[in-house]
Amino acid sequence: MAEKLIFVSGQLPITKGEILSTGKIGREINMEKAKESIKLATVNLLLVLNKITIENNINPNQIKCINIKGYLNCIDSFSEHSKLFNASSELIIEVLGDIHGSHSRSVIGVHSLPLDSPIEIDGTFSILK
């Protein structure tokens, strides 16, 4: 089966041109606010993917999520990366369905992110033939 790939680079939790909230998870950002930021960054990822499918006349039913990467701006002692990032995986599966939404992922704690964002996400998708 021939596949083509779509790479969507780092998306932040931006709405109306502003970061939803800034700071480190575990200090300025609590778990609920972090989850909200993850969901918004995931929505932005999916909006970019949607724009790509429209501009390239790709049938959305042919899109499969292969991999996502999450970068969490968190305090050194934070250890709930995977649990927190489930919010992103669940949203992608909800939008693309169980088969096309299931994916591998990596979640990494980092010291800082652009605009002091608590989260950044990128994704790799395939176009199924």
Side-chain angles (χ1 to χ4, degrees):
M1 169 177 10
E3 294 182 332
K4 293 183 180 179
L5 299 178
I6 299 171
F7 298 93
V8 180
S9 61
Q11 298 298 305
L12 303 176
I14 294 177
T15 183
K16 299 177 184 172
E18 302 270 330
I19 289 278
L20 179 65
S21 53
T22 60
K24 289 198 175 294
I25 299 168
R27 190 168 56 214
E28 296 89 1
I29 308 292
N30 65 26
M31 291 292 277
E32 284 308 308
K33 197 62 154 176
K35 193 177 288 188
E36 187 179 341
S37 292
I38 287 169
K39 287 180 181 179
L40 179 56
T42 303
V43 166
N44 290 340
L45 179 86
L46 292 169
L47 287 171
V48 171
L49 177 65
N50 185 59
K51 182 178 180 191
I52 292 167
T53 61
I54 290 168
E55 289 175 350
N56 293 280
N57 198 30
I58 300 166
N59 181 343
N61 294 325
Q62 292 179 303
I63 299 296
K64 165 132 181 54
C65 184
I66 296 174
N67 180 266
I68 59 173
K69 291 184 189 78
Y71 306 92
L72 304 183
N73 180 7
C74 55
I75 61 173
D76 290 343
S77 62
F78 186 76
S79 62
E80 299 292 321
H81 302 72
S82 292
K83 180 178 178 183
L84 184 58
F85 209 66
N86 284 341
S88 181
S89 292
E90 290 165 0
L91 182 55
I92 290 170
I93 291 169
E94 181 181 327
V95 170
L96 297 179
D98 288 336
I99 294 172
H100 287 192
S102 295
H103 54 272
S104 64
R105 71 179 193 188
S106 300
V107 187
I108 303 161
V110 298
H111 181 67
S112 67
L113 287 170
L115 305 176
D116 199 24
S117 175
I119 173 73
E120 184 172 346
I121 181 174
D122 65 47
T124 305
F125 301 84
S126 65
I127 305 167
L128 305 172
K129 295 289 177 180

